[in-house]
Structure formats: structure tokens, C-alpha cells
Amino acid sequence: MYFPSYRMRRLRQSRQMRDLVHETDLLPDRLIYPLFVTHGNNVRNQVDAMPGCYQLSINNLVEEAKEVRELGIPGVVLFGIPAEKDEAGTEAYDDEGIVQMAIGALKENVPELLVITDVCLCEYTSHGHCGIVRDGDVDNDVTLEMLSKMAVSHAEAGADIVAPSDMMDGRVAAIRASLDGEGFSNTPIMSYSSKFASAFYGPFREAAESTPEFGDRRSYQMDHRNSDEAVRETLLDIEEGADIVMVKPALPYLDIIYRIKQETKFPLAAYNVSGEYSMIKAAAEKGWIDEKRTVLEALTSIRRAGADITITYHAKDAAVWLKEK
Ligand code: PBG
């Protein structure tokens, strides 16, 4: 059946008609908001390259978290900025580390907000790499011990979900075994299963103060030219016990999101990273694009590709805009 019997424009003629047949829903209840927590009191440092994002001390983090919850956003991902960095990233697995304290404060003050924690050493090491460096490269197996300790300390502090983002081999299995061994068999792992070595992380490294001092992350994060490998990485993490898998970044990797969802049917998170955010913010500030429409279109496209959950710095704005609709 072709034109003129069929006219595709028939179902597009009014907003009500378009709403009736729309295929993809975008709701705040599938968004996660990333937050940066730092030592001190009453700190609220704006991140230059990420307008609208701040390094917050715990008291301000709690206020921010209440706002997030009131907007209908179910959870946050926490990143910590330690008091001191060292070779072994010690504060990462310290019971009184910044993230561990922040989890306690959030669970006490906003108990129904899901607290997801980033499990990775890069914010805590003096060299800025995601693990322990030996002979100029990150030592995989030694790093697994630190990551496991870190995940357990987050669970002990009350984290609802732990999210390893380091890209070491075998980390999901190591973390699962440690959590189970310490009585946290109910703590889910959201694994950054296909995380690409990406230029789009630039602004985050300013926010988290985690730029590597030498070299780059290409010996552990994935090559952006690969897609089959993303499927293998994800299947391995699933075998090791990942409960939720992830694709990161999101917008330049919609094909990967689509593929992973089709091939695994696992709960899938997509991380709409700092560079994706900053590009929209910068263009909007210049008046070159309409921020609201661009953000909602971008987030819808991530969902349409197959993501169940989207981690995004736009979450708060999007939640407000989605209510206005
Ligand atoms: C830590 C980590 C990074 C991001 C999330 N966790 C940075 C990196 O790998 O360099 C990036 C998030 C973003 O750009 O928004 N390993």
C-alpha cells in the first residue's frame, strides 16, 4: 500500500495524535545524576568546563540529593575527591574516606535515594591511573584487590549499588566474591562493561581531578574502533556476575547500546558523559542551539537505542522539563 492510500503525515498532524503513537518514553525515573563530593564544609566549586555541575562538600551534597529526589530522579552516582592522593589510592578504600562518609550522610538524610558508587582508583592515585602502577603500566591483578576492598567499604557504608569503572580484567568476579564473602550478596554490581578510551571524558577529569600524569588509558579502556569486542567485554562481565551492564560514552556509541541490548537483554545503563554534556551547554550558552530541545532529543535517542537507565549531568534539568511538558 503506497501513496496516496497511505499518508505518513496523517498521524503527525497534531500533538495529541503524535503522542498517541510515540514509541519511546523518556521519564525521570530512569535517569541517574552524577555528583562530585569533596572534603570541607559549605564547599560548592563550580566545574569550569561543566556549567551547572559542582564539587560539593557533604552538607551541600545532602541538599543537592534532596532536590534530586524531589524531582523524581531515583539515584545518584558518587565520585569522590580525596584529601590526599598517593601511589596506592589509599583513600579509595578507607572507611573514613570522602565517599564512605558521603554515603552515610545520604543514607541518613535521603534514605530512599539510590546511592551508586564509582569503584575506580583514578581520583585517588597521585599518578591519576585507574589502578596500581608497576613498571609504567597498571598492574591488573594487584589492582583487583584494591577495587574489591573499595567496593566492600562502599557496601559497608550503605551503598545500594557499586559500579566498577576501572576496566581491569576480572574485576566483576573479584568484587562479587568479596561482596559475597563479607555478607553483601544482595548488593548489585553495575559494571562499566564497555567503556571506551574517549576524548569525551575531558571535562570530567577537571571535575574529578583525575587526569593521568603520564600516558593515557588505552591499555585498559576500549578502542573506539571496536564493536564486536564490546559484546565480548559485556558477555564476560555478565558471566562474572554483573547485574547491570553499561555502555560509555553514550551518544557517539548508540550503535553499541543497540547491539548490547539486542544481544544480551540485560538491564543496560548508558553514560552520557561530561564531554557530551559540555558540548550542548557550550553551544546553548552561545545561543547556537535550543538547550531544552537538544537535551530531550539526545536523551530520547539514548533510550530509543536501547538503554534502560541513562546516567547524565542533564538529569535535573531534564526532570524539570519533562514535568513542564
Ligand atoms: C573513572 C571515571 C571516568 C568517568 C567516569 N568514571 C573518567 C575516566 O575514565 O577517565 C568519566 C565520566 C564523564 O566523562 O562524565 N574511571
mmCIF file with all atom_site columns, all heavy atoms in Angstrom, residues 79 118 120 122-123 130 165-166 192 195 200-201 204-205 210 217 221 248 271 273-275 313, ligand 1:
data_model
loop_
_atom_site.group_PDB
_atom_site.id
_atom_site.type_symbol
_atom_site.label_atom_id
_atom_site.label_alt_id
_atom_site.label_comp_id
_atom_site.label_asym_id
_atom_site.label_entity_id
_atom_site.label_seq_id
_atom_site.pdbx_PDB_ins_code
_atom_site.Cartn_x
_atom_site.Cartn_y
_atom_site.Cartn_z
_atom_site.occupancy
_atom_site.B_iso_or_equiv
_atom_site.pdbx_formal_charge
_atom_site.auth_seq_id
_atom_site.auth_comp_id
_atom_site.auth_asym_id
_atom_site.auth_atom_id
_atom_site.pdbx_PDB_model_num
ATOM   1   N N   . PHE A 1 79  ? 31.123 10.371 42.953 1.00 0.00 ? 79  PHE A N   1
ATOM   2   C CA  . PHE A 1 79  ? 32.567 10.405 42.679 1.00 0.00 ? 79  PHE A CA  1
ATOM   3   C C   . PHE A 1 79  ? 33.209 11.220 43.788 1.00 0.00 ? 79  PHE A C   1
ATOM   4   O O   . PHE A 1 79  ? 32.693 12.288 44.148 1.00 0.00 ? 79  PHE A O   1
ATOM   5   C CB  . PHE A 1 79  ? 32.843 11.074 41.334 1.00 0.00 ? 79  PHE A CB  1
ATOM   6   C CG  . PHE A 1 79  ? 32.276 10.306 40.174 1.00 0.00 ? 79  PHE A CG  1
ATOM   7   C CD1 . PHE A 1 79  ? 31.028 10.620 39.662 1.00 0.00 ? 79  PHE A CD1 1
ATOM   8   C CD2 . PHE A 1 79  ? 32.987 9.253  39.609 1.00 0.00 ? 79  PHE A CD2 1
ATOM   9   C CE1 . PHE A 1 79  ? 30.487 9.902  38.601 1.00 0.00 ? 79  PHE A CE1 1
ATOM   10  C CE2 . PHE A 1 79  ? 32.457 8.526  38.551 1.00 0.00 ? 79  PHE A CE2 1
ATOM   11  C CZ  . PHE A 1 79  ? 31.205 8.855  38.046 1.00 0.00 ? 79  PHE A CZ  1
ATOM   12  N N   . ASP A 1 118 ? 31.005 4.929  42.240 1.00 0.00 ? 118 ASP A N   1
ATOM   13  C CA  . ASP A 1 118 ? 32.013 4.631  41.234 1.00 0.00 ? 118 ASP A CA  1
ATOM   14  C C   . ASP A 1 118 ? 33.165 3.909  41.936 1.00 0.00 ? 118 ASP A C   1
ATOM   15  O O   . ASP A 1 118 ? 33.679 4.394  42.943 1.00 0.00 ? 118 ASP A O   1
ATOM   16  C CB  . ASP A 1 118 ? 32.513 5.942  40.621 1.00 0.00 ? 118 ASP A CB  1
ATOM   17  C CG  . ASP A 1 118 ? 33.429 5.718  39.440 1.00 0.00 ? 118 ASP A CG  1
ATOM   18  O OD1 . ASP A 1 118 ? 32.940 5.285  38.385 1.00 0.00 ? 118 ASP A OD1 1
ATOM   19  O OD2 . ASP A 1 118 ? 34.648 5.973  39.563 1.00 0.00 ? 118 ASP A OD2 1
ATOM   20  N N   . CYS A 1 120 ? 36.755 2.875  41.348 1.00 0.00 ? 120 CYS A N   1
ATOM   21  C CA  . CYS A 1 120 ? 37.909 3.082  40.479 1.00 0.00 ? 120 CYS A CA  1
ATOM   22  C C   . CYS A 1 120 ? 38.913 3.912  41.255 1.00 0.00 ? 120 CYS A C   1
ATOM   23  O O   . CYS A 1 120 ? 38.534 4.753  42.069 1.00 0.00 ? 120 CYS A O   1
ATOM   24  C CB  . CYS A 1 120 ? 37.479 3.841  39.218 1.00 0.00 ? 120 CYS A CB  1
ATOM   25  S SG  . CYS A 1 120 ? 38.823 4.067  38.047 1.00 0.00 ? 120 CYS A SG  1
ATOM   26  N N   . CYS A 1 122 ? 41.217 6.080  39.999 1.00 0.00 ? 122 CYS A N   1
ATOM   27  C CA  . CYS A 1 122 ? 41.854 7.231  39.323 1.00 0.00 ? 122 CYS A CA  1
ATOM   28  C C   . CYS A 1 122 ? 41.739 8.555  40.065 1.00 0.00 ? 122 CYS A C   1
ATOM   29  O O   . CYS A 1 122 ? 42.631 9.389  39.985 1.00 0.00 ? 122 CYS A O   1
ATOM   30  C CB  . CYS A 1 122 ? 41.382 7.373  37.886 1.00 0.00 ? 122 CYS A CB  1
ATOM   31  S SG  . CYS A 1 122 ? 39.672 7.876  37.731 1.00 0.00 ? 122 CYS A SG  1
ATOM   32  N N   . GLU A 1 123 ? 40.657 8.760  40.803 1.00 0.00 ? 123 GLU A N   1
ATOM   33  C CA  . GLU A 1 123 ? 40.564 10.029 41.538 1.00 0.00 ? 123 GLU A CA  1
ATOM   34  C C   . GLU A 1 123 ? 41.495 10.046 42.751 1.00 0.00 ? 123 GLU A C   1
ATOM   35  O O   . GLU A 1 123 ? 41.756 11.090 43.328 1.00 0.00 ? 123 GLU A O   1
ATOM   36  C CB  . GLU A 1 123 ? 39.135 10.253 42.052 1.00 0.00 ? 123 GLU A CB  1
ATOM   37  C CG  . GLU A 1 123 ? 38.102 10.490 40.973 1.00 0.00 ? 123 GLU A CG  1
ATOM   38  C CD  . GLU A 1 123 ? 37.048 9.390  40.966 1.00 0.00 ? 123 GLU A CD  1
ATOM   39  O OE1 . GLU A 1 123 ? 36.198 9.350  41.868 1.00 0.00 ? 123 GLU A OE1 1
ATOM   40  O OE2 . GLU A 1 123 ? 37.121 8.545  40.043 1.00 0.00 ? 123 GLU A OE2 1
ATOM   41  N N   . CYS A 1 130 ? 43.924 4.316  36.817 1.00 0.00 ? 130 CYS A N   1
ATOM   42  C CA  . CYS A 1 130 ? 42.785 3.647  37.459 1.00 0.00 ? 130 CYS A CA  1
ATOM   43  C C   . CYS A 1 130 ? 43.189 2.470  38.337 1.00 0.00 ? 130 CYS A C   1
ATOM   44  O O   . CYS A 1 130 ? 42.329 1.718  38.802 1.00 0.00 ? 130 CYS A O   1
ATOM   45  C CB  . CYS A 1 130 ? 41.782 3.211  36.399 1.00 0.00 ? 130 CYS A CB  1
ATOM   46  S SG  . CYS A 1 130 ? 41.123 4.625  35.481 1.00 0.00 ? 130 CYS A SG  1
ATOM   47  N N   . SER A 1 165 ? 34.405 1.100  37.320 1.00 0.00 ? 165 SER A N   1
ATOM   48  C CA  . SER A 1 165 ? 34.620 1.789  36.045 1.00 0.00 ? 165 SER A CA  1
ATOM   49  C C   . SER A 1 165 ? 36.072 1.712  35.593 1.00 0.00 ? 165 SER A C   1
ATOM   50  O O   . SER A 1 165 ? 36.487 2.427  34.688 1.00 0.00 ? 165 SER A O   1
ATOM   51  C CB  . SER A 1 165 ? 34.221 3.262  36.165 1.00 0.00 ? 165 SER A CB  1
ATOM   52  O OG  . SER A 1 165 ? 35.127 3.960  36.988 1.00 0.00 ? 165 SER A OG  1
ATOM   53  N N   . ASP A 1 166 ? 36.841 0.847  36.222 1.00 0.00 ? 166 ASP A N   1
ATOM   54  C CA  . ASP A 1 166 ? 38.291 0.811  36.025 1.00 0.00 ? 166 ASP A CA  1
ATOM   55  C C   . ASP A 1 166 ? 38.752 0.071  34.781 1.00 0.00 ? 166 ASP A C   1
ATOM   56  O O   . ASP A 1 166 ? 39.853 0.296  34.301 1.00 0.00 ? 166 ASP A O   1
ATOM   57  C CB  . ASP A 1 166 ? 38.886 0.103  37.228 1.00 0.00 ? 166 ASP A CB  1
ATOM   58  C CG  . ASP A 1 166 ? 38.155 -1.225 37.407 1.00 0.00 ? 166 ASP A CG  1
ATOM   59  O OD1 . ASP A 1 166 ? 37.011 -1.214 37.915 1.00 0.00 ? 166 ASP A OD1 1
ATOM   60  O OD2 . ASP A 1 166 ? 38.683 -2.257 36.966 1.00 0.00 ? 166 ASP A OD2 1
ATOM   61  N N   . TYR A 1 192 ? 30.704 -1.023 34.379 1.00 0.00 ? 192 TYR A N   1
ATOM   62  C CA  . TYR A 1 192 ? 31.015 -0.247 33.183 1.00 0.00 ? 192 TYR A CA  1
ATOM   63  C C   . TYR A 1 192 ? 31.638 -1.256 32.219 1.00 0.00 ? 192 TYR A C   1
ATOM   64  O O   . TYR A 1 192 ? 32.855 -1.309 32.068 1.00 0.00 ? 192 TYR A O   1
ATOM   65  C CB  . TYR A 1 192 ? 32.048 0.827  33.492 1.00 0.00 ? 192 TYR A CB  1
ATOM   66  C CG  . TYR A 1 192 ? 31.622 2.030  34.300 1.00 0.00 ? 192 TYR A CG  1
ATOM   67  C CD1 . TYR A 1 192 ? 31.203 1.914  35.616 1.00 0.00 ? 192 TYR A CD1 1
ATOM   68  C CD2 . TYR A 1 192 ? 31.713 3.311  33.743 1.00 0.00 ? 192 TYR A CD2 1
ATOM   69  C CE1 . TYR A 1 192 ? 30.870 3.044  36.360 1.00 0.00 ? 192 TYR A CE1 1
ATOM   70  C CE2 . TYR A 1 192 ? 31.385 4.442  34.485 1.00 0.00 ? 192 TYR A CE2 1
ATOM   71  C CZ  . TYR A 1 192 ? 30.966 4.298  35.795 1.00 0.00 ? 192 TYR A CZ  1
ATOM   72  O OH  . TYR A 1 192 ? 30.662 5.426  36.530 1.00 0.00 ? 192 TYR A OH  1
ATOM   73  N N   . LYS A 1 195 ? 33.525 0.327  28.285 1.00 0.00 ? 195 LYS A N   1
ATOM   74  C CA  . LYS A 1 195 ? 33.941 1.710  28.488 1.00 0.00 ? 195 LYS A CA  1
ATOM   75  C C   . LYS A 1 195 ? 35.091 1.999  27.530 1.00 0.00 ? 195 LYS A C   1
ATOM   76  O O   . LYS A 1 195 ? 36.122 1.327  27.571 1.00 0.00 ? 195 LYS A O   1
ATOM   77  C CB  . LYS A 1 195 ? 34.386 1.893  29.938 1.00 0.00 ? 195 LYS A CB  1
ATOM   78  C CG  . LYS A 1 195 ? 34.978 3.264  30.211 1.00 0.00 ? 195 LYS A CG  1
ATOM   79  C CD  . LYS A 1 195 ? 35.196 3.490  31.689 1.00 0.00 ? 195 LYS A CD  1
ATOM   80  C CE  . LYS A 1 195 ? 35.859 4.821  31.942 1.00 0.00 ? 195 LYS A CE  1
ATOM   81  N NZ  . LYS A 1 195 ? 36.101 5.045  33.376 1.00 0.00 ? 195 LYS A NZ  1
ATOM   82  N N   . PHE A 1 200 ? 35.896 12.311 25.106 1.00 0.00 ? 200 PHE A N   1
ATOM   83  C CA  . PHE A 1 200 ? 34.714 12.936 25.702 1.00 0.00 ? 200 PHE A CA  1
ATOM   84  C C   . PHE A 1 200 ? 34.752 12.967 27.232 1.00 0.00 ? 200 PHE A C   1
ATOM   85  O O   . PHE A 1 200 ? 33.847 13.497 27.849 1.00 0.00 ? 200 PHE A O   1
ATOM   86  C CB  . PHE A 1 200 ? 33.436 12.224 25.224 1.00 0.00 ? 200 PHE A CB  1
ATOM   87  C CG  . PHE A 1 200 ? 33.102 12.513 23.784 1.00 0.00 ? 200 PHE A CG  1
ATOM   88  C CD1 . PHE A 1 200 ? 33.586 11.706 22.759 1.00 0.00 ? 200 PHE A CD1 1
ATOM   89  C CD2 . PHE A 1 200 ? 32.312 13.607 23.442 1.00 0.00 ? 200 PHE A CD2 1
ATOM   90  C CE1 . PHE A 1 200 ? 33.285 11.980 21.432 1.00 0.00 ? 200 PHE A CE1 1
ATOM   91  C CE2 . PHE A 1 200 ? 32.009 13.881 22.117 1.00 0.00 ? 200 PHE A CE2 1
ATOM   92  C CZ  . PHE A 1 200 ? 32.496 13.072 21.113 1.00 0.00 ? 200 PHE A CZ  1
ATOM   93  N N   . TYR A 1 201 ? 35.765 12.346 27.867 1.00 0.00 ? 201 TYR A N   1
ATOM   94  C CA  . TYR A 1 201 ? 35.870 12.404 29.332 1.00 0.00 ? 201 TYR A CA  1
ATOM   95  C C   . TYR A 1 201 ? 36.625 13.648 29.808 1.00 0.00 ? 201 TYR A C   1
ATOM   96  O O   . TYR A 1 201 ? 36.783 13.830 31.014 1.00 0.00 ? 201 TYR A O   1
ATOM   97  C CB  . TYR A 1 201 ? 36.609 11.171 29.896 1.00 0.00 ? 201 TYR A CB  1
ATOM   98  C CG  . TYR A 1 201 ? 36.039 9.828  29.511 1.00 0.00 ? 201 TYR A CG  1
ATOM   99  C CD1 . TYR A 1 201 ? 36.869 8.708  29.396 1.00 0.00 ? 201 TYR A CD1 1
ATOM   100 C CD2 . TYR A 1 201 ? 34.687 9.665  29.259 1.00 0.00 ? 201 TYR A CD2 1
ATOM   101 C CE1 . TYR A 1 201 ? 36.361 7.472  29.043 1.00 0.00 ? 201 TYR A CE1 1
ATOM   102 C CE2 . TYR A 1 201 ? 34.173 8.420  28.892 1.00 0.00 ? 201 TYR A CE2 1
ATOM   103 C CZ  . TYR A 1 201 ? 35.018 7.332  28.784 1.00 0.00 ? 201 TYR A CZ  1
ATOM   104 O OH  . TYR A 1 201 ? 34.527 6.110  28.430 1.00 0.00 ? 201 TYR A OH  1
ATOM   105 N N   . PHE A 1 204 ? 35.199 15.840 32.727 1.00 0.00 ? 204 PHE A N   1
ATOM   106 C CA  . PHE A 1 204 ? 35.102 15.073 33.982 1.00 0.00 ? 204 PHE A CA  1
ATOM   107 C C   . PHE A 1 204 ? 36.425 15.072 34.724 1.00 0.00 ? 204 PHE A C   1
ATOM   108 O O   . PHE A 1 204 ? 36.466 15.149 35.945 1.00 0.00 ? 204 PHE A O   1
ATOM   109 C CB  . PHE A 1 204 ? 34.699 13.626 33.668 1.00 0.00 ? 204 PHE A CB  1
ATOM   110 C CG  . PHE A 1 204 ? 34.735 12.683 34.850 1.00 0.00 ? 204 PHE A CG  1
ATOM   111 C CD1 . PHE A 1 204 ? 33.598 12.434 35.596 1.00 0.00 ? 204 PHE A CD1 1
ATOM   112 C CD2 . PHE A 1 204 ? 35.915 12.038 35.217 1.00 0.00 ? 204 PHE A CD2 1
ATOM   113 C CE1 . PHE A 1 204 ? 33.616 11.563 36.677 1.00 0.00 ? 204 PHE A CE1 1
ATOM   114 C CE2 . PHE A 1 204 ? 35.952 11.168 36.296 1.00 0.00 ? 204 PHE A CE2 1
ATOM   115 C CZ  . PHE A 1 204 ? 34.802 10.924 37.030 1.00 0.00 ? 204 PHE A CZ  1
ATOM   116 N N   . ARG A 1 205 ? 37.496 14.990 33.973 1.00 0.00 ? 205 ARG A N   1
ATOM   117 C CA  . ARG A 1 205 ? 38.804 14.891 34.638 1.00 0.00 ? 205 ARG A CA  1
ATOM   118 C C   . ARG A 1 205 ? 39.134 16.183 35.369 1.00 0.00 ? 205 ARG A C   1
ATOM   119 O O   . ARG A 1 205 ? 39.863 16.167 36.349 1.00 0.00 ? 205 ARG A O   1
ATOM   120 C CB  . ARG A 1 205 ? 39.873 14.468 33.639 1.00 0.00 ? 205 ARG A CB  1
ATOM   121 C CG  . ARG A 1 205 ? 39.607 13.029 33.205 1.00 0.00 ? 205 ARG A CG  1
ATOM   122 C CD  . ARG A 1 205 ? 40.611 12.465 32.258 1.00 0.00 ? 205 ARG A CD  1
ATOM   123 N NE  . ARG A 1 205 ? 40.176 11.149 31.800 1.00 0.00 ? 205 ARG A NE  1
ATOM   124 C CZ  . ARG A 1 205 ? 40.719 10.497 30.803 1.00 0.00 ? 205 ARG A CZ  1
ATOM   125 N NH1 . ARG A 1 205 ? 41.734 11.026 30.140 1.00 0.00 ? 205 ARG A NH1 1
ATOM   126 N NH2 . ARG A 1 205 ? 40.254 9.308  30.458 1.00 0.00 ? 205 ARG A NH2 1
ATOM   127 N N   . SER A 1 210 ? 41.288 14.030 37.960 1.00 0.00 ? 210 SER A N   1
ATOM   128 C CA  . SER A 1 210 ? 41.802 12.674 37.734 1.00 0.00 ? 210 SER A CA  1
ATOM   129 C C   . SER A 1 210 ? 42.523 12.489 36.405 1.00 0.00 ? 210 SER A C   1
ATOM   130 O O   . SER A 1 210 ? 42.546 11.402 35.859 1.00 0.00 ? 210 SER A O   1
ATOM   131 C CB  . SER A 1 210 ? 40.638 11.684 37.813 1.00 0.00 ? 210 SER A CB  1
ATOM   132 O OG  . SER A 1 210 ? 39.703 11.935 36.774 1.00 0.00 ? 210 SER A OG  1
ATOM   133 N N   . ARG A 1 217 ? 44.772 6.094  28.956 1.00 0.00 ? 217 ARG A N   1
ATOM   134 C CA  . ARG A 1 217 ? 44.109 4.909  29.495 1.00 0.00 ? 217 ARG A CA  1
ATOM   135 C C   . ARG A 1 217 ? 43.879 3.811  28.451 1.00 0.00 ? 217 ARG A C   1
ATOM   136 O O   . ARG A 1 217 ? 43.061 2.935  28.630 1.00 0.00 ? 217 ARG A O   1
ATOM   137 C CB  . ARG A 1 217 ? 42.763 5.310  30.094 1.00 0.00 ? 217 ARG A CB  1
ATOM   138 C CG  . ARG A 1 217 ? 42.825 6.397  31.151 1.00 0.00 ? 217 ARG A CG  1
ATOM   139 C CD  . ARG A 1 217 ? 41.686 6.245  32.146 1.00 0.00 ? 217 ARG A CD  1
ATOM   140 N NE  . ARG A 1 217 ? 41.348 7.450  32.866 1.00 0.00 ? 217 ARG A NE  1
ATOM   141 C CZ  . ARG A 1 217 ? 42.086 8.019  33.822 1.00 0.00 ? 217 ARG A CZ  1
ATOM   142 N NH1 . ARG A 1 217 ? 43.236 7.494  34.150 1.00 0.00 ? 217 ARG A NH1 1
ATOM   143 N NH2 . ARG A 1 217 ? 41.669 9.110  34.440 1.00 0.00 ? 217 ARG A NH2 1
ATOM   144 N N   . GLN A 1 221 ? 41.158 0.852  28.819 1.00 0.00 ? 221 GLN A N   1
ATOM   145 C CA  . GLN A 1 221 ? 39.841 1.156  28.258 1.00 0.00 ? 221 GLN A CA  1
ATOM   146 C C   . GLN A 1 221 ? 39.801 0.737  26.786 1.00 0.00 ? 221 GLN A C   1
ATOM   147 O O   . GLN A 1 221 ? 40.836 0.561  26.153 1.00 0.00 ? 221 GLN A O   1
ATOM   148 C CB  . GLN A 1 221 ? 39.550 2.660  28.398 1.00 0.00 ? 221 GLN A CB  1
ATOM   149 C CG  . GLN A 1 221 ? 39.515 3.087  29.874 1.00 0.00 ? 221 GLN A CG  1
ATOM   150 C CD  . GLN A 1 221 ? 39.230 4.561  30.064 1.00 0.00 ? 221 GLN A CD  1
ATOM   151 O OE1 . GLN A 1 221 ? 39.250 5.346  29.122 1.00 0.00 ? 221 GLN A OE1 1
ATOM   152 N NE2 . GLN A 1 221 ? 38.979 4.954  31.299 1.00 0.00 ? 221 GLN A NE2 1
ATOM   153 N N   . LYS A 1 248 ? 29.581 3.277  27.626 1.00 0.00 ? 248 LYS A N   1
ATOM   154 C CA  . LYS A 1 248 ? 30.068 4.616  27.941 1.00 0.00 ? 248 LYS A CA  1
ATOM   155 C C   . LYS A 1 248 ? 31.176 5.002  26.977 1.00 0.00 ? 248 LYS A C   1
ATOM   156 O O   . LYS A 1 248 ? 32.088 4.201  26.790 1.00 0.00 ? 248 LYS A O   1
ATOM   157 C CB  . LYS A 1 248 ? 30.598 4.603  29.371 1.00 0.00 ? 248 LYS A CB  1
ATOM   158 C CG  . LYS A 1 248 ? 31.243 5.877  29.802 1.00 0.00 ? 248 LYS A CG  1
ATOM   159 C CD  . LYS A 1 248 ? 31.749 5.754  31.199 1.00 0.00 ? 248 LYS A CD  1
ATOM   160 C CE  . LYS A 1 248 ? 32.449 7.037  31.553 1.00 0.00 ? 248 LYS A CE  1
ATOM   161 N NZ  . LYS A 1 248 ? 33.189 6.928  32.771 1.00 0.00 ? 248 LYS A NZ  1
ATOM   162 N N   . TYR A 1 271 ? 26.064 5.866  29.796 1.00 0.00 ? 271 TYR A N   1
ATOM   163 C CA  . TYR A 1 271 ? 26.620 7.025  30.478 1.00 0.00 ? 271 TYR A CA  1
ATOM   164 C C   . TYR A 1 271 ? 26.829 8.151  29.476 1.00 0.00 ? 271 TYR A C   1
ATOM   165 O O   . TYR A 1 271 ? 27.709 8.091  28.632 1.00 0.00 ? 271 TYR A O   1
ATOM   166 C CB  . TYR A 1 271 ? 27.938 6.654  31.166 1.00 0.00 ? 271 TYR A CB  1
ATOM   167 C CG  . TYR A 1 271 ? 28.372 7.604  32.264 1.00 0.00 ? 271 TYR A CG  1
ATOM   168 C CD1 . TYR A 1 271 ? 28.856 7.112  33.470 1.00 0.00 ? 271 TYR A CD1 1
ATOM   169 C CD2 . TYR A 1 271 ? 28.295 8.986  32.103 1.00 0.00 ? 271 TYR A CD2 1
ATOM   170 C CE1 . TYR A 1 271 ? 29.260 7.970  34.494 1.00 0.00 ? 271 TYR A CE1 1
ATOM   171 C CE2 . TYR A 1 271 ? 28.685 9.845  33.109 1.00 0.00 ? 271 TYR A CE2 1
ATOM   172 C CZ  . TYR A 1 271 ? 29.171 9.344  34.299 1.00 0.00 ? 271 TYR A CZ  1
ATOM   173 O OH  . TYR A 1 271 ? 29.572 10.198 35.297 1.00 0.00 ? 271 TYR A OH  1
ATOM   174 N N   . VAL A 1 273 ? 28.310 11.152 28.917 1.00 0.00 ? 273 VAL A N   1
ATOM   175 C CA  . VAL A 1 273 ? 29.462 11.643 29.684 1.00 0.00 ? 273 VAL A CA  1
ATOM   176 C C   . VAL A 1 273 ? 29.654 13.162 29.617 1.00 0.00 ? 273 VAL A C   1
ATOM   177 O O   . VAL A 1 273 ? 28.966 13.877 28.877 1.00 0.00 ? 273 VAL A O   1
ATOM   178 C CB  . VAL A 1 273 ? 30.768 10.923 29.268 1.00 0.00 ? 273 VAL A CB  1
ATOM   179 C CG1 . VAL A 1 273 ? 30.626 9.424  29.433 1.00 0.00 ? 273 VAL A CG1 1
ATOM   180 C CG2 . VAL A 1 273 ? 31.175 11.301 27.850 1.00 0.00 ? 273 VAL A CG2 1
ATOM   181 N N   . SER A 1 274 ? 30.666 13.598 30.374 1.00 0.00 ? 274 SER A N   1
ATOM   182 C CA  . SER A 1 274 ? 30.906 15.025 30.560 1.00 0.00 ? 274 SER A CA  1
ATOM   183 C C   . SER A 1 274 ? 31.063 15.796 29.245 1.00 0.00 ? 274 SER A C   1
ATOM   184 O O   . SER A 1 274 ? 30.487 16.864 29.077 1.00 0.00 ? 274 SER A O   1
ATOM   185 C CB  . SER A 1 274 ? 32.135 15.220 31.439 1.00 0.00 ? 274 SER A CB  1
ATOM   186 O OG  . SER A 1 274 ? 33.261 14.559 30.889 1.00 0.00 ? 274 SER A OG  1
ATOM   187 N N   . GLY A 1 275 ? 31.833 15.256 28.305 1.00 0.00 ? 275 GLY A N   1
ATOM   188 C CA  . GLY A 1 275 ? 32.058 15.978 27.051 1.00 0.00 ? 275 GLY A CA  1
ATOM   189 C C   . GLY A 1 275 ? 30.776 16.135 26.240 1.00 0.00 ? 275 GLY A C   1
ATOM   190 O O   . GLY A 1 275 ? 30.558 17.162 25.586 1.00 0.00 ? 275 GLY A O   1
ATOM   191 N N   . TYR A 1 313 ? 24.443 14.278 33.367 1.00 0.00 ? 313 TYR A N   1
ATOM   192 C CA  . TYR A 1 313 ? 24.532 15.556 34.086 1.00 0.00 ? 313 TYR A CA  1
ATOM   193 C C   . TYR A 1 313 ? 23.334 16.444 33.757 1.00 0.00 ? 313 TYR A C   1
ATOM   194 O O   . TYR A 1 313 ? 23.127 17.463 34.403 1.00 0.00 ? 313 TYR A O   1
ATOM   195 C CB  . TYR A 1 313 ? 25.851 16.259 33.729 1.00 0.00 ? 313 TYR A CB  1
ATOM   196 C CG  . TYR A 1 313 ? 27.054 15.378 33.988 1.00 0.00 ? 313 TYR A CG  1
ATOM   197 C CD1 . TYR A 1 313 ? 27.627 14.604 32.974 1.00 0.00 ? 313 TYR A CD1 1
ATOM   198 C CD2 . TYR A 1 313 ? 27.576 15.255 35.276 1.00 0.00 ? 313 TYR A CD2 1
ATOM   199 C CE1 . TYR A 1 313 ? 28.696 13.763 33.218 1.00 0.00 ? 313 TYR A CE1 1
ATOM   200 C CE2 . TYR A 1 313 ? 28.642 14.414 35.534 1.00 0.00 ? 313 TYR A CE2 1
ATOM   201 C CZ  . TYR A 1 313 ? 29.198 13.668 34.499 1.00 0.00 ? 313 TYR A CZ  1
ATOM   202 O OH  . TYR A 1 313 ? 30.243 12.826 34.752 1.00 0.00 ? 313 TYR A OH  1
HETATM 203 C C1  . PBG B 2 .   ? 36.712 6.970  36.388 1.00 0.00 ? 1   PBG B C1  1
HETATM 204 C C2  . PBG B 2 .   ? 35.640 7.523  35.552 1.00 0.00 ? 1   PBG B C2  1
HETATM 205 C C3  . PBG B 2 .   ? 35.731 8.398  34.459 1.00 0.00 ? 1   PBG B C3  1
HETATM 206 C C4  . PBG B 2 .   ? 34.420 8.731  34.119 1.00 0.00 ? 1   PBG B C4  1
HETATM 207 C C5  . PBG B 2 .   ? 33.585 8.027  34.966 1.00 0.00 ? 1   PBG B C5  1
HETATM 208 N N1  . PBG B 2 .   ? 34.364 7.262  35.829 1.00 0.00 ? 1   PBG B N1  1
HETATM 209 C C6  . PBG B 2 .   ? 36.885 9.040  33.805 1.00 0.00 ? 1   PBG B C6  1
HETATM 210 C C7  . PBG B 2 .   ? 37.877 8.305  33.050 1.00 0.00 ? 1   PBG B C7  1
HETATM 211 O O1  . PBG B 2 .   ? 37.801 7.108  32.821 1.00 0.00 ? 1   PBG B O1  1
HETATM 212 O O2  . PBG B 2 .   ? 38.820 8.981  32.692 1.00 0.00 ? 1   PBG B O2  1
HETATM 213 C C8  . PBG B 2 .   ? 34.031 9.685  33.031 1.00 0.00 ? 1   PBG B C8  1
HETATM 214 C C9  . PBG B 2 .   ? 32.715 10.329 33.186 1.00 0.00 ? 1   PBG B C9  1
HETATM 215 C C10 . PBG B 2 .   ? 32.475 11.508 32.344 1.00 0.00 ? 1   PBG B C10 1
HETATM 216 O O3  . PBG B 2 .   ? 33.263 11.917 31.473 1.00 0.00 ? 1   PBG B O3  1
HETATM 217 O O4  . PBG B 2 .   ? 31.410 12.100 32.549 1.00 0.00 ? 1   PBG B O4  1
HETATM 218 N N2  . PBG B 2 .   ? 37.402 5.917  35.881 1.00 0.00 ? 1   PBG B N2  1
#
